[in-house]
């Protein structure tokens, strides 16, 4: 049994009201909700939020009623892990034990349905504690990510003994992106943080990995979403 989860806090300093802001004809949150409700493998969907308007919207769409998110989980510093634990506890009171907890960040609307299925497939095949979506990082701490020392001088963040003069020589590093998380419920109930157990990557394309943190991000995603929709319509017309 798979629980699908959307976390959508009311507050946002970077893009005020972003989770319920219109993006190509529907609220941002609906791009994620649609993917949960349209996936035959997801048995129950839930919206964790401190916003009554978004909460009622989720209920009308068919999400389970778990109540508004507690105030201590609705701050800027509240951990995603704690929000997940609360949601799992409240959902399992109604559904019984789950086999997988699937979270989709609503601020990552470029995600495709195939990304969700790929995450679920990887989780059930490899049986890790968690699958986390990642993309190849455009900056590498062994090559072109820099820090300053006590003198103000620049140095590579993670220098290697032999040095790295080309990106291809550096160890592969990934960006953590919010497209898909699939978590083992027993791990979520007992662990205290994301990386306490065996977490494996689901590698997704960089062009789908963007999330909304700033007005600039919104503009870029709005453009790419429009292109994605247009390309999809062209594909359907063929």
């Amino acid at each position: 049994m798979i629980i699908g989860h959307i976390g959508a806090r009311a507050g946002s300093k970077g893009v005020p009201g972003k989770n319920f802001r219109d993006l190509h004809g529907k609220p941002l949150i609906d791009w994620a909700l649609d993917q949960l409700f349209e996936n035959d493998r997801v048995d129950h969907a839930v919206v964790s939020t401190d916003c009554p308007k978004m909460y009622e919207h989720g209920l009308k769409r068919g999400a389970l009623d778990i109540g508004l998110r507690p105030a201590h989980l609705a701050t800027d510093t509240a951990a995603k892990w704690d929000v997940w634990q609360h949601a799992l506890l409240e959902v399992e009171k109604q559904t019984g034990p789950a086999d997988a907890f699937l979270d989709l960040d609503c601020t990552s609307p470029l995600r495709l349905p195939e990304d969700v299925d790929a995450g679920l497939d990887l989780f059930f095949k490899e049986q890790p504690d968690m699958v986390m979506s990642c993309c190849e990082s455009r900056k590498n701490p062994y090559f072109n990510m820099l820090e300053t020392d006590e003198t103000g001088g620049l140095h590579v963040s993670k220098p290697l003994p032999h040095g790295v003069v080309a990106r291809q020589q550096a160890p592969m590093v990934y960006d953590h992106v919010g497209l898909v998380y699939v978590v083992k419920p027993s791990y979520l109930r007992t662990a205290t943080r994301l990386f306490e157990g065996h977490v494996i990557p689901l590698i997704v394309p960089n062009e789908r990995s963007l999330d909304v943190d700033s007005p600039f991000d919104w503009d870029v995603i709005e453009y790419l979403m429009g292109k994605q929709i247009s390309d999809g319509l062209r594909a359907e017309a063929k």
Side-chain angles (χ1 to χ4, degrees), residues 63-139:
L64 291 178
D65 185 356
I66 63 167
L68 288 172
R69 185 187 299 185
H72 72 280
L73 296 177
T75 67
D76 288 342
T77 57
K80 181 188 291 287
W81 191 255
D82 295 333
V83 172
W84 288 354
Q85 285 185 324
H86 171 263
L88 178 66
L89 174 65
E90 294 303 317
V91 171
E92 287 190 327
K93 288 177 181 177
Q94 302 180 44
T95 66
D99 297 304
F101 182 89
L102 167 68
D103 176 80
L104 307 182
D105 271 11
C106 61
T107 55
S108 298
L110 295 172
R111 171 186 48 245
L112 296 178
E114 64 199 57
D115 299 319
V116 180
D117 283 325
L120 291 171
D121 289 344
L122 183 61
F123 176 80
F124 286 110
K125 177 183 178 183
E126 299 296 334
Q127 296 290 308
D129 291 314
M130 178 164 59
V131 168
M132 174 186 291
S133 53
C134 300
C135 68
E136 183 178 343
S137 179
R138 297 180 62 191
K139 296 292 184 180

Side-chain angles (χ1 to χ4, degrees), residues 7 10 17 36 41-42 53 55 60 65 92 100 114-115 118-119 132 157 159 166 170 180 202 209:
L36 288 184
R41 302 163 73 176
V42 176
K53 185 177 180 180
Y55 188 71
K60 289 177 180 177
D65 185 356
E92 287 190 327
E114 64 199 57
D115 299 319
M132 174 186 291
S157 292
V180 181
L202 169 71
S209 68

